[in-house]
């Protein structure tokens, strides 16, 4: 089972977990990741963060990443929620929640989905700082995090 | 051969353009499209120079320079993604 | 910052996250793990699961594990909640939530705490099945999961 | 030298005992305590045999067979943990 949502509104981590576990008593492990807006990035204060995306591609990209995770690990349920629009520090940006029988699968698949989302899902962040607006630069470390999953599969 | 080209994020702002229809000689691939855009000079040759980082998707899937283009394709050009 | 709770009552994942992120706009990443009661274990149906612990040692053991995680990774906040008493399928057993600036630290520390908790924190599960009561056997895979963190530090 | 000994989970049920005070000759370590318990025979020698899996904590910290014991120590003997 897979739930993918792109939305302006906030989400509730507890409600997402409750929806997932109510449906399936085979679930023994749920690993989650939530990304938050920080008030400082690359040394500058951040007052708002605006998320733009490429709607026609976003759902396709996220669906592909989740399908790949389901092919690699034994998963029971996956939920991905990504917000778009204007956010503020401490706001929630993204949720990846993965349910499985045992924790190893849940942890690995959750981190895999985040690493691929960070490099392959068409979202872009623009920060508003005291020095003006600026587009967030992609991080080399995200490319590395994503590439290690390729290495693992090849070896 | 006509294709749609979409621009996102910093590239959209830099070019002052969200999308356009572009006519390319057949056969064409992504590198031919990029070459045509670079030929415009200014921000185009600057942002799409080989030393700058950008990504391209064809019909909503990440593509490479040698990905073939067909009539009616939707090509998107954007900076490396920064979501999550 | 660290919160460790041993309790009979349930917990709410969303509320724990909200408490954590409200306090600190430096947090960019929160990795969580929730363990749930499954309705089948080792091939037998499970109607209730009773958790016993060694109170004087539990808090000390969990505190030691969290301290070790804080020494190994750059963490901003950690919450560990473990329930005791009688639980039923789909009930929540344990929560480990780790906040950091970037996701790599949060993911690794969260999995580390779970792996150590599974082998070093004094909790024991007793299952009630149609065939009667039985104590859950420790898994070899948990020992392995825990030992790989030792290898990583030595190498 | 008197120490407190606590039993948990399946061992508590097997021995029918939650805790006891035990007198040991000085100096003593965990292996001396285990040997004294095994000498009781029956469930004791069976459950605490070297081929069975059990853990020991001294003053609420995981210990090994050669961990030294001091007067008043709290020693806990229990099966491998299964929480989480």
């Amino acid at each position: 089972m897979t739930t993918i949502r792109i939305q302006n509104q906030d989400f509730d981590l507890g409600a997402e977990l409750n929806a997932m576990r109510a449906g399936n008593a085979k679930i023994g492990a749920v690993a989650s990741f939530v990304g938050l807006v920080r008030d400082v990035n690359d040394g500058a204060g951040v007052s708002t963060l605006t998320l733009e995306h490429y709607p026609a591609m976003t759902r396709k990209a996220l669906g592909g990443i989740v399908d790949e995770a389901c092919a690699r690990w034994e998963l029971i349920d996956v939920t991905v929620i990504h917000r778009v629009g204007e956010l503020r520090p401490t706001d929630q940006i993204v949720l990846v929640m993965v349910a499985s029988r045992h924790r190893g699968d849940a942890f690995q698949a959750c981190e895999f989905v985040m690493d691929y989302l960070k490099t392959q899902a068409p979202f872009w962040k623009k920060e508003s700082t005291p020095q003006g607006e600026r587009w967030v630069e992609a991080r080399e470390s995200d490319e590395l995090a994503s590439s290690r999953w390729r290495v693992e599969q090849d070896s | 051969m006509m294709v749609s080209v979409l621009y996102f994020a910093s590239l959209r702002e830099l070019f002052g353009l969200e999308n356009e229809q572009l006519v390319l000689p057949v056969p064409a691939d992504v590198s031919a499209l990029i070459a045509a855009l670079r030929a415009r000079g200014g921000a185009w040759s600057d942002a799409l120079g080989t030393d700058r980082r950008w990504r391209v998707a064809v019909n909503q899937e990440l593509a490479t320079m040698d990905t073939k283009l067909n009539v009616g394709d939707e090509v998107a050009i954007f900076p490396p993604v920064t979501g999550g």
Side-chain angles (χ1 to χ4, degrees), chain A, chain B:
Chain A
M1 228 167 68
T2 294
T3 304
I4 294 175
R5 301 206 308 265
I6 317 297
Q7 61 190 40
N8 278 275
Q9 66 266 32
D10 202 6
F11 54 82
D12 180 75
L13 183 63
E16 297 302 329
L17 173 62
N18 290 343
M20 203 175 260
R21 71 192 173 96
N24 198 323
K26 307 285 172 254
I27 298 173
V30 180
S32 313
F33 178 84
V34 175
L36 302 172
V37 182
R38 295 188 298 142
D39 64 359
V40 172
N41 189 29
D42 286 336
V46 173
S47 55
T48 63
L49 185 72
T50 306
L51 270 141
E52 172 177 334
H53 75 130
Y54 173 12
M57 180 175 168
T58 312
R59 188 165 296 270
K60 213 167 169 175
L62 292 176
I65 294 166
V66 170
D67 286 349
E68 176 69 21
C70 290
R72 291 197 191 194
W73 293 280
E74 264 192 58
L75 308 181
I76 296 174
D77 205 344
V78 180
T79 293
V80 177
I81 302 174
H82 203 298
R83 294 176 71 191
V84 291
E86 192 175 298
L87 304 176
R88 291 173 184 286
T90 80
D91 278 356
Q92 304 185 122
I93 304 169
V94 64
L95 164 69
V96 174
M97 183 174 276
V98 177
S100 59
R101 283 213 296 270
H102 301 294
R103 73 186 184 286
D105 288 326
F107 270 120
Q108 288 210 64
C110 187
E111 195 166 8
F112 169 88
V113 170
M114 271 310 299
D115 285 347
Y116 268 56
L117 184 157
K118 281 266 184 186
T119 54
Q120 302 197 0
F123 295 97
W124 300 275
K125 285 175 181 156
K126 190 182 208 172
E127 292 172 344
S128 180
T129 78
Q131 291 79 45
E133 295 196 326
R134 64 174 187 189
W135 290 95
V136 172
E137 295 275 331
R139 291 174 184 276
E140 191 71 33
S141 59
D142 285 329
E143 285 294 336
L144 284 171
S146 176
S147 67
R148 85 198 142 108
W149 297 104
R150 281 194 291 278
V151 173
E152 275 187 21
Q153 197 178 41
D154 292 344
S155 68
Chain B
M1 178 184 90
M2 180 119 45
V3 298
S4 303
V5 189
L6 282 62
Y7 306 101
F8 289 95
S10 56
L11 293 185
R12 173 177 47 75
E13 288 188 350
L14 206 59
F15 302 152
L17 193 63
E18 284 197 22
N19 61 78
E20 62 180 315
Q21 300 291 316
L22 213 71
V23 176
L24 294 172
V26 207
D29 58 9
V30 169
S31 66
L33 168 63
I34 296 293
L37 295 174
R38 275 190 199 132
R40 294 172 175 174
W44 297 90
S45 59
D46 193 37
L48 300 176
T50 49
D51 55 331
R52 300 297 177 115
R53 296 175 73 213
W54 49 274
R55 300 283 182 271
V56 62
V58 175
N59 297 328
Q60 302 93 43
E61 299 205 351
L62 287 172
T64 56
M65 288 297 262
D66 56 7
T67 300
K68 297 278 171 285
L69 296 181
N70 294 303
V71 62
D73 278 353
E74 179 175 293
V75 183
I77 304 176
F78 44 75
V81 305
T82 56

